[in-house]
Amino acid sequence: MADALEHERIASLLRTQRWGRNLVVLERTRSTNDVAKELGLRGAPEGTVVVADEQTAGRGRMGRRWVAPPGTCLLCSLLFRPSLPLSRVGWLTMLTTMAAADAVERLTGLRPGLKWPNDLVVRARGPAGEWKKLAGVLTETGLTGDRLDFVVVGIGINVNVPPDRLSELAPGATSLLAETGRRTDRAELLATFLAEVERRMEGLRNGDLPYAEWAARLVTTGRRVAVHTSTGVVTGTAEGVDEEGRLLVRAADGAVHRFLAGDVTLSQSE
Ligand code: BTN
């Protein structure tokens, strides 16, 4: 692999105290989330990070596969041990998503939007201007009864996927390479991302809640949307989100629907 991720190089780039100091770098694995969950069960500390050049069974939300050509993407899972109630797990997802968006901006100048529930998107150039997906986040929890033992937040960022291989990914996907025309150093991106996660976790510990900033950065708010869930589709206007990250959609009959999970399609006219 031309620029495989290397433990030593990533470690040399880290600027963090905690995040990534317990670092697992794998050439190939089923899913970095599976490895991080396994480590979570075995008592690994908060700040443990698992990255891989290739996943053979990468998972997306809602039971989907997550496809990434080997050696081209940042496939990474973070282990949290928060003292938060289960209802606030969404805060970790919000925080991670914003950390990733800021790391992308710092390294490439692109400013990704956040699309509910936890996608990083960029607007296509030209008049059509549809949003294309740059990254996705999958959050999974380890529980004992109702108590949160650990949370794994996995992120896949399409970094150096060449434009002619984007069709292998989910429809509507893009990559940093396709958007900027330049390759991005994945190890540098990881180190920058982890520094942002650490800064934001410090903020959370000091009572700086991620919700308001996340809500303000969502590109979904105020738009006509169709929300696809496992039980059907609801269309309406996305009025905002609540503190736990649920999307509030006002349907044509005036009723407000709340969604904790689902996929949003933005109306073409906006
Ligand atoms: C989505 O948008 O559906 C979420 C995609 C999450 C993909 C990442 S890649 C690293 C981690 N390992 C996985 O199996 N999934 C997440």
Side-chain angles (χ1 to χ4, degrees):
M1 211 172 295
D3 62 342
L5 290 167
E6 283 167 7
H7 190 289
E8 207 175 318
R9 171 135 198 282
I10 297 170
S12 75
L13 293 170
L14 287 179
R15 302 180 286 280
T16 49
Q17 300 287 321
R18 180 194 293 257
W19 288 88
R21 293 294 165 185
N22 187 27
L23 177 68
V24 178
V25 182
L26 301 166
E27 196 177 321
R28 181 182 299 116
T29 188
R30 280 176 55 77
S31 154
T32 55
N33 266 32
D34 287 350
V35 177
K37 282 200 289 183
E38 188 58 41
L39 293 170
L41 288 170
R42 297 214 305 256
E46 172 158 283
T48 296
V49 172
V50 181
V51 277
D53 268 316
E54 180 180 358
Q55 295 185 130
T56 54
R59 291 198 304 280
R61 292 185 309 105
M62 299 175 77
R64 284 185 294 249
R65 288 197 62 204
W66 183 260
V67 178
T72 64
C73 294
L74 188 57
L75 308 169
C76 165
S77 299
L78 312 180
L79 180 67
F80 294 85
R81 292 196 181 277
S83 33
L84 290 173
L86 190 52
S87 60
R88 296 291 188 255
V89 165
W91 288 353
L92 303 177
T93 313
M94 295 172 191
L95 182 154
T96 305
T97 312
M98 290 192 289
D102 291 346
V104 164
E105 182 176 7
R106 196 153 299 162
L107 260 67
T108 67
L110 273 184
R111 181 149 177 77
L114 309 183
K115 178 167 169 260
W116 187 91
N118 40 35
D119 291 350
L120 263 58
V121 291
V122 290
R123 197 150 208 173
R125 292 188 212 107
E130 88 275 26
W131 293 94
K132 294 192 285 179
K133 181 162 169 171
L134 189 64
V137 172
L138 175 67
T139 298
E140 300 181 295
T141 51
L143 300 171
T144 304
D146 278 354
R147 198 172 56 83
L148 204 50
D149 280 337
F150 62 84
V151 178
V152 168
V153 181
I155 183 161
I157 307 179
N158 303 330
V159 182
N160 295 322
V161 184
D164 62 357
R165 295 197 66 181
L166 287 173
S167 59
E168 296 168 30
L169 279 50
T174 191
S175 68
L176 291 177
L177 177 58
E179 296 302 317
T180 64
R182 290 186 308 274
R183 293 177 65 78
T184 299
D185 182 334
R186 290 179 301 147
E188 193 66 74
L189 181 60
L190 176 61
T192 306
F193 166 56
L194 294 177
E196 277 299 318
V197 170
E198 185 154 293
R199 187 180 68 76
R200 288 177 178 278
M201 280 303 283
E202 195 59 41
L204 181 60
R205 257 188 297 280
N206 294 328
D208 194 0
L209 307 183
Y211 151 77
E213 184 189 347
W214 177 76
R217 288 174 70 166
L218 285 175
V219 300
T220 333
T221 309
R223 292 175 194 273
R224 297 279 307 157
V225 294
V227 187
H228 305 254
T229 70
S230 50
T231 52
V233 183
V234 174
T235 54
T237 303
E239 293 207 323
V241 285
D242 68 16
E243 267 196 41
E244 290 172 17
R246 280 185 287 246
L247 180 68
L248 312 181
V249 175
R250 188 174 294 277
D253 63 2
V256 175
H257 301 257
R258 280 171 187 253
F259 300 93
L260 191 52
D263 275 323
V264 161
T265 314
L266 294 167
S267 159
Q268 283 305 312
S269 58
E270 293 175 89

